[in-house]
Amino acid sequence: MTSGSSSSSAAAPHRIRNATRATMAQFFVNGATFATWGVLIPSVKGRFALSDAVLSLAMLAVAGGALLTMGQSGKWIARAGSARALRQVGILYAATLLLIPLAPQFWMLVLLLLVFGSAMAAFDVAMSVQAALVEGQRTRPIMSTLHAMFSIGGIAGAALGAVPGLSPLAHAALVGVVTLAVSLSIGPFALPDEVHDSAATPHGADKRARRMVLVLGGIAFLALMCEGGMYDWAAVYMRDVAQSPLAWVSYSYAAFSTGMAAGRLTGDRIRARIGGLRTLAWSGAAGAAGIALAAAWPSPLTTLGGLLLSGLGIANLMPIFFLAAARVPGMAAAESIAAVARFAYVGMLLGPVFIGGVAEHLGLRLSFVGVALVMTVVALFGGKAVRRFI
């Protein structure tokens, strides 16, 4: 049995409630910590007098640290257990966040951000394992709500940065302390997952399990290409194609983010009512329709409506993919989630690049058409990737 399997006996109701709340707290502090890094970026740029190009290297270091260590993190979490991993990685995650405003030289900052990205990725995987265990013990879905807590944590972390007189160091310290406290307190509330020895089977999993994960990862890659593209290009599209007033440009990001948050807050109820496969299909269809609406009628209002609709649709794709990954037979949940997450991270990074490359030759409007087509592929074929597990 792997860590993706449910326990042989159901946990007591109070244990399930406590585990649910503890996992929500993990998602919340993860979102707050990552958002705090985003708020720290302008101060980092000013402190080291960085150009935009050099600053992008710092941003890439976070993603690079995550991608380079994701596979090994999954194997370690499978051996150590997700609760222990959350405690240990939480210390590293909080410490590196606190050290970011203190880095005396840029090269030290880059190394620090590599570690920060690695800790973030391991934290993601460990909390996702706990999320799958929690859902497995409940009578109703919870995965989308947990991901909504990540978004809410992000809002809280970003809002804290707007407090007058709060320095970057104080901001990082406050969020770091909360992250550390939540991570260290997970032990009594976490659900146990059976450890998995990767050496017990060839290459840690049989070939069939790896093929399943590869298919899931491919669909997740496409979905996150679209999500990353909308986050990075929505404002540019609003300004250059929709010809919106300057004051409206920032509304584009808000519309997409609002759709994402609302979609995740309602996603579990939808999945409980119509099932995971239909939820995935309708989510992909809504995402495609929203992006297509923005591309077909690029006025300010229709673009905002399209971005809102696309956020509603895209919101519940990754929660379903992570849940499916945790249930792949023959592979530890931590390893399968890490593998799918790696595909998703790459998709998130390449989505904006794809849109920019198409826009350079065919225009930004046609690049949005391409994104809508990619999301249509997710809607049509995503169900086949998760059918065995949802």
Side-chain angles (χ1 to χ4, degrees):
M1 184 181 292
T2 72
S3 58
S5 303
S6 59
S7 304
S8 57
S9 59
H14 75 277
R15 181 73 189 277
I16 298 171
R17 286 194 299 271
N18 289 338
T20 301
R21 292 165 184 163
T23 307
M24 283 183 173
Q26 301 295 324
F27 274 80
F28 178 88
V29 297
N30 192 10
T33 302
F34 186 66
T36 300
W37 154 238
V39 174
L40 292 176
I41 289 174
S43 66
V44 166
K45 182 179 182 181
R47 182 154 52 96
F48 294 107
L50 304 178
S51 66
D52 289 343
V54 177
L55 180 63
S56 68
L57 293 177
M59 298 178 184
L60 185 61
V62 176
L67 292 173
L68 289 173
T69 61
M70 186 79 75
Q72 291 304 315
S73 294
K75 293 178 181 178
W76 170 66
I77 294 166
R79 294 193 303 269
S82 57
R84 178 184 172 192
L86 281 168
R87 289 195 301 271
Q88 296 183 0
V89 173
I91 297 172
L92 184 62
Y93 199 19
T96 49
L97 177 68
L98 176 61
L99 291 173
I100 288 172
L102 297 174
Q105 297 183 35
F106 180 68
W107 68 267
M108 293 181 182
L109 174 69
V110 171
L111 292 178
L112 185 63
L113 290 176
L114 284 169
V115 179
F116 178 77
S118 177
M120 177 189 68
F123 200 94
D124 277 349
V125 173
M127 74 178 190
S128 295
V129 172
Q130 274 297 306
L133 290 169
V134 166
E135 171 144 329
Q137 290 285 346
R138 290 171 55 93
T139 57
R140 296 181 65 83
I142 192 66
M143 185 67 82
S144 291
T145 301
L146 293 172
H147 280 79
M149 291 303 297
F150 179 91
S151 300
I152 294 170
I155 294 170
L160 187 60
V163 174
L166 190 69
S167 68
L169 178 59
H171 184 186
L174 285 172
V175 175
V177 166
V178 174
T179 298
L180 180 63
V182 170
S183 301
L184 292 179
S185 65
I186 185 68
F189 309 108
L191 293 178
D193 50 325
E194 297 187 23
V195 297
H196 178 94
D197 184 2
S198 296
T201 56
H203 307 293
D206 59 36
K207 292 182 179 179
R208 185 182 181 190
R210 292 190 178 277
R211 284 196 298 269
M212 293 176 184
V213 169
L214 184 63
V215 172
L216 280 172
I219 292 293
F221 171 85
L222 295 178
L224 266 291
M225 277 187 68
C226 300
E227 181 177 337
M230 291 300 98
Y231 273 126
D232 286 8
W233 283 96
V236 178
Y237 187 91
M238 191 76 172
R239 182 192 65 194
D240 295 347
V241 180
Q243 297 292 306
S244 68
L246 187 60
W248 283 42
V249 171
S250 63
Y251 296 167
S252 58
Y253 187 93
F256 183 73
S257 298
T258 299
M260 289 283 290
R264 286 178 171 171
L265 287 171
T266 58
D268 290 321
R269 280 174 287 182
I270 293 172
R271 185 153 57 94
R273 182 178 293 271
I274 68 174
L277 293 180
R278 288 184 178 179
T279 300
L280 194 154
W282 281 108
S283 294
I291 300 168
L293 176 63
W297 292 282
S299 70
L301 283 177
T302 54
T303 298
L304 286 177
L307 291 171
L308 179 67
L309 179 59
S310 65
L312 282 168
I314 292 172
N316 290 302
L317 296 178
M318 281 313 300
I320 291 175
F321 294 145
F322 275 155
L323 184 62
R327 296 174 176 176
V328 172
M331 181 180 283
E335 291 190 63
S336 55
I337 289 172
V340 172
R342 180 183 287 178
F343 277 97
Y345 270 65
V346 174
M348 180 75 82
L349 290 173
L350 292 185
V353 177
F354 166 78
I355 290 178
V358 174
E360 178 69 21
H361 299 286
L362 301 176
L364 189 53
R365 189 176 179 183
L366 280 179
S367 70
F368 267 48
V369 173
V371 176
L373 292 175
V374 171
M375 186 53 61
T376 301
V377 172
V378 174
L380 293 175
F381 298 102
K384 294 182 179 179
V386 305
R387 186 179 301 276
R388 300 178 184 179
F389 319 114
I390 299 298

